[in-house]
Amino acid sequence: MFDLDEMYRELGRMPQRAEKALVAYGKTVAADLQREAQEDRPWTDRTAHARQRMKGYCKVTDAGIRIYLAHGVNYGVQLEFGYEEKYAIIYPTLRKEAPSVIKSCWKMIGGMK
């Protein structure tokens, strides 16, 4: 005979397991995005501060799980939106990598059925 109690317990843990797995994946992706942006930056380092202070991180929010990539210098906005966006790296990196990240997330969720 089947133990339905155990099955119900495991089904109840699915959202927690999915969130935990997606957060772990998000942290890995954030680190990869950070590394890629630092390596592929279109500007020439003068002090290396813009490169060194770029940060990728993953956070659980009220709306779900969010992956961030941000500058850590006050002139980061100028790099991204000034100079006709010649030195932008954050949006181009996210635009390039987002489809594969989303596809991988869907695979992870589908594999937990």
Side-chain angles (χ1 to χ4, degrees), residues 8-78:
Y8 289 130
R9 278 192 305 274
E10 288 301 314
L11 285 173
R13 292 184 193 139
M14 284 284 292
Q16 294 166 334
R17 287 185 10 217
E19 182 177 303
K20 189 175 181 179
L22 288 170
V23 168
Y25 176 67
K27 288 179 180 180
T28 300
V29 167
D32 291 345
L33 290 173
Q34 176 183 327
R35 186 171 34 261
E36 181 177 338
Q38 288 172 329
E39 290 173 0
D40 294 346
R41 71 200 180 284
W43 65 84
T44 301
D45 278 340
R46 302 283 189 249
T47 63
H49 292 155
R51 177 177 42 86
Q52 291 170 346
R53 293 183 186 165
M54 193 171 296
K55 181 75 174 150
Y57 58 99
C58 178
K59 234 175 147 175
V60 178
T61 67
D62 291 340
I65 298 165
R66 190 167 277 209
I67 298 171
Y68 296 88
L69 182 60
H71 281 285
V73 292
N74 60 356
Y75 55 90
V77 172
Q78 188 66 27

